[in-house]
Amino acid sequence: MPNLDFTKEYFTMKESDAIEYAKTVLNFFDEDAVLTCKEIGDGNLNYVFRVVDEKNNKSVIIKQAGPVARISDDFKLSPDRNRIESEILKLQYSLASGLVPQVYKYDSVMNCCTMEDLSDHVILRTALLNHNKFPMLADHITTYMVNTLLLTTDVVMGHKEKKELVKSFINPELCEITEDLVYTEPFFNCERNDIFEPTKPLAEELLWKDNKFLLETAKLKFEFMSNAQSLIHGDLHSGSIFVKEDSTKVIDPEFAFYGPAGYDVGNVVAHFIFAMVNAEATMEEGAEKENYLAWVKESIKNTIDMFKDKFFKLWSEKATERVAKYEGFDEYYLNNILRDTAAVAGLELCRRILGIAHVKDVTTIEDTEKRASAEKFCLVYGKELVMNREAMLDGKSYLDLIEKCKR
Amino acid sequence: MPNLDFTKEYFTMKESDAIEYAKTVLNFFDEDAVLTCKEIGDGNLNYVFRVVDEKNNKSVIIKQAGPVARISDDFKLSPDRNRIESEILKLQYSLASGLVPQVYKYDSVMNCCTMEDLSDHVILRTALLNHNKFPMLADHITTYMVNTLLLTTDVVMGHKEKKELVKSFINPELCEITEDLVYTEPFFNCERNDIFEPTKPLAEELLWKDNKFLLETAKLKFEFMSNAQSLIHGDLHSGSIFVKEDSTKVIDPEFAFYGPAGYDVGNVVAHFIFAMVNAEATMEEGAEKENYLAWVKESIKNTIDMFKDKFFKLWSEKATERVAKYEGFDEYYLNNILRDTAAVAGLELCRRILGIAHVKDVTTIEDTEKRASAEKFCLVYGKELVMNREAMLDGKSYLDLIEKCKR
């Protein structure tokens, strides 16, 4: 094999190239390493190479941005998202160490990022489809969110420093995907939507014909486009979270930019709801199902309540902005985040049912009637979250609304 | 005189240097031009050279950013604001031609901008201190605001293009000045405040001790720091507006960045109020005073009402964003701007009385009792605007509130 030059010009790597890259560019493996590599990407936008030295029990992940996003030919993405991702991971590692993978190297020529191998973890969505419980998950994910979200706001960060981060992480292409797929297309009869046949009449009656609901989605879209509040992950669903029993790692922050903090929290809540409807439709009745559902609901409740508690605690320790200490401002600020959380959870529930990008939690429900029923719940619950977002100020209100929407 | 080199390194120009610059760098004057120059800056941040060829009746303005802002030693500003200003002027010229000066050249080495000479105009503040009326002013300034503000929002502009503008006009240093001087310092006993002795007890009682008011100022500060809505001027007081009878030109957009649209509208309203209190305190009773005050109040009313009318009209012609066309969204969006308008007008009224930067409209009122009374009105009216901003949805409400605050 001729020597590859990784310093001149970008090309998309194959597995053998990734091994060569690890040998010649990274200063990570031992001299006597015997390297093997597998491309393990299941996302839409990147190639993910796992390079392993079994001899010395060391491994890394090399994640390379493809020249064109794989999600669809409609979305052309520049590989700058890989720079954004690497820098965000480093920043988040400093804010929430242990909860994101460590980055070893970012390579601006090859548009790839070499980072900690998390192969002892599993993707949360896969684990949830297997109905596995993770008692520490809500605790971990709320620590991650509070630290990455609050510590990057004007409440804590110097305002000039924050503005430099806003500038550095302007992310037009990835934001456009969210603006289209989350905030726009699911709410009219858009060609790119992908709707389960039995759900179509409900989408039309419940959502598309309700002008009051549509107006709220427009307000929320503009909030997403204009509110430079926190450096958010921007895509925090259960496919972006690695778990094992005692560890949680958030990956794939390529959608990151300065946006509304509640966007991340709302995504976490929505994907717990998907886990819930999956379990309800696919698990056999019995104690295991009850236990699992109890854990999912407890996780939803804890996601909100632990977020609140940790948010106030970190605020009291870290707030630097003088006016943020005015009486009542912390509560006002948090309530806005909780309002956004509910709304985003609601939109996410709707868009994963109606839009182009579905979730396996729902699509793997084989029984047509059960799937239709699960989808109906997601749309009804989602709409309620959007319309009543002002009232969703604690974890209990999410559980109460579940009961209300089942009746 | 040795030949000056304007291409290598920045230096602050003297009048003779500006002539040399005009001769050797600009391709503007005729060959037989006889140039004279005067530095006419009265602002705090820049040197303004007027270079004239009386022989051929041509002239230009060369505006150079000083290496350090003159406003105070506390504020160190990079000359990048001059790039921002030149680019903004060009952009605004394309959006609202005739209402901003034409830019001939921006020079990134000398940090200077060569532009249309507006010496046949006068600074609006000066004209208002002379109690001159400009019947077209509200019409012109609302056209300027609607065009520059609405056309740079996500309602009209492509969202990726808008994000590039957001990035290009991140303006940390100038925004910090506003954050400190408008939103923070006037609302506590800050050393840098400069308060007329008789006004001190009122500042304390009316504002500093009112936690509900303080909470609103904090909300508004965060709105200013986070809401990337429109490419705003950022300093649209009557010292940034040139007028003659049939012409209005907005200058000095060096504070420009993507912020809340209402910030500009609120500034215009506040400085009409200053003109009003000046006239009330300094003009002799009689028809002239009544006519002048009637014009000022009419201008306040028209600023709001014409802004609204033109805003809806331009929206219906230019909106491109699909969800912005949902029923009720235009009204929701405009009402948010009007709410911000009232709040910013209120804060501006307070901060020009209490903070470091005063307005001549008030400081030139020689009679102590009359000045104290004018200042009291500004604080009382300003606070009302902040606290009741939700209700300030038309021009009449501003005039009604004037009457209420006088009682």
Side-chain angles (χ1 to χ4, degrees), chain A residues 236-282:
Chain A
L236 194 51
H237 57 77
S238 50
S240 298
I241 301 172
F242 264 125
V243 284
K244 59 178 184 173
E245 201 184 331
D246 57 349
S247 171
T248 303
K249 306 267 187 186
V250 175
I251 60 168
D252 288 353
E254 60 202 356
F255 281 79
F257 76 109
Y258 259 88
Y263 192 83
D264 282 353
V265 193
N267 263 278
V268 169
V269 170
H271 289 265
F272 276 128
I273 297 286
F274 288 129
M276 183 188 80
V277 300
N278 176 277
E280 281 174 343
T282 63

Side-chain angles (χ1 to χ4, degrees), chain B residues 150-212:
Chain B
L150 178 55
L151 297 180
T152 56
T153 63
D154 282 306
V155 173
V156 174
M157 191 169 265
H159 304 164
K160 289 195 277 192
E161 189 191 350
K162 180 236 180 182
K163 287 181 185 73
E164 292 303 334
L165 287 185
V166 172
K167 185 174 182 171
S168 181
F169 297 117
I170 296 267
N171 200 347
E173 291 171 332
L174 281 291
C175 283
E176 183 180 54
I177 294 180
T178 305
E179 290 157 20
D180 289 346
L181 299 194
V182 178
Y183 288 94
T184 312
E185 296 180 4
F187 305 113
F188 72 101
N189 191 13
C190 176
E191 208 173 286
R192 205 155 55 182
N193 287 336
D194 173 15
I195 309 179
F196 188 49
E197 202 57 42
T199 299
K200 282 185 180 169
L202 184 67
E204 193 163 342
E205 280 306 314
L206 188 72
L207 306 181
W208 299 348
K209 284 188 176 174
D210 184 341
N211 285 340
K212 283 187 183 160

Side-chain angles (χ1 to χ4, degrees), chain A residues 163 179 211 221 226 228 321, chain B residues 163 179 221 226 228 321:
Chain A
K163 287 181 185 74
E179 290 157 20
N211 285 340
K221 182 173 182 180
S226 303
E321 163 58 50
Chain B
K163 287 181 185 73
E179 290 157 20
K221 183 174 182 180
S226 305
E321 163 59 50

